[in-house]
Amino acid sequence: MSEDPRTERTRAKLRRALLEECASGPLDKVGVAALVRRAGVGRATFYVHYADLEALAVDACAEIVREAVDALHAWRGVPDPASPPPALVEFFEGIPPHAGLYRELLRPGGGGPLGLVLHRDLRARSRDERALAGAPEPELVASAVAAAFAGVFADWLHGAIAANPAEIAGRVWRLLISLHRTPLP
C-alpha cells in the first residue's frame, strides 16, 4: 500500500529543510525550531513523523543508500574490473554537496545510523541477487560486500582514503568483483 501523499509531502518538506540547514553547519547545531520554521510545519508535526533530528537526518540521507545499492548493481553480464558502472562513478561524484552530514551519520569503518541502513539494504540486495543467480554462499558474500562497501565509503568520506570520486569508484568496483570471484568451498 502506498503512503498517504500528505505524509510524504510533509516528510519531504522536513527532509529538504534539514538538508538546507545542514548546508551551513553541522547536524548538532540544527535546532528543531529553526527546522520547522524553514519547513513551514509545526513542531508537533515534526514529532509526529520523527523521534528526533537524527531520525530525520537518516531518512533524508536514505536516498544515498538507495543510490549506492542501485549503483553497485547497475551492470549486467560479466563485470569488467577496469570499468566501474557509470552509476557508481556518478554516485561518488554526487556526494560532496552533503558530505558533512553523511560524515556525521556514517562513522569511520562504516558504523553509525546511516552505516547500519546502508549495510542492511546493500546486504539484502546482494544476497537476493546472488541467490537468484545460484551463486554459492549468498549470505556470506552479501555480508562481505556490504561491510566492504560501507567501510570503504565511510573511510573515504572521512579522508582515510585519498582518491577522487572516479578513482574511488574504480577501486571499490575492483574490490567488490574480487569478493564475488573468491572461490568458496
Side-chain angles (χ1 to χ4, degrees):
M1 236 177 125
S2 66
E3 195 168 304
D4 179 346
R6 293 170 298 173
T7 298
E8 185 46 42
R9 277 193 303 273
T10 300
R11 287 183 179 166
K13 286 180 185 180
L14 289 165
R15 289 189 300 259
R16 190 171 36 257
L18 178 81
L19 292 174
E20 290 168 2
E21 287 286 321
C22 288
S24 60
L27 180 61
D28 65 356
K29 300 296 184 202
V30 173
V32 173
L35 177 78
V36 296
R37 228 180 353 266
R38 183 182 288 266
V41 302
R43 189 178 187 94
T45 300
F46 169 81
Y47 287 108
V48 165
H49 296 283
Y50 298 102
D52 55 27
L53 285 171
E54 186 176 272
L56 169 59
V58 170
D59 186 38
C61 293
E63 184 63 27
I64 191 176
V65 171
R66 287 187 292 279
E67 289 173 8
V69 171
D70 289 344
L72 289 171
H73 294 90
W75 60 276
R76 292 292 172 246
V78 178
D80 177 6
S83 181
L88 186 60
V89 177
E90 290 168 14
F91 165 76
F92 281 104
E93 289 174 343
I95 297 302
H98 301 293
L101 179 58
Y102 299 145
R103 275 191 292 273
E104 290 183 68
L105 300 171
L106 184 62
R107 313 246 194 302
L114 187 58
L116 294 173
V117 174
L118 177 59
H119 187 276
R120 180 197 66 215
D121 291 359
L122 183 53
R123 184 180 185 282
R125 176 88 171 264
S126 295
R127 180 191 62 234
D128 292 349
E129 289 200 8
R130 195 162 173 88
L132 184 65
E137 299 279 0
E139 297 286 342
L140 176 69
V141 174
S143 289
V145 165
F149 182 81
V152 170
F153 176 49
D155 288 351
W156 176 73
L157 268 175
H158 286 276
I161 300 172
N164 67 39
E167 291 168 341
I168 196 66
R171 291 157 114 183
V172 164
W173 183 240
R174 288 186 296 279
L175 172 65
L176 297 180
I177 289 173
S178 296
L179 286 172
H180 279 284
R181 290 183 175 166
T182 302
L184 297 168

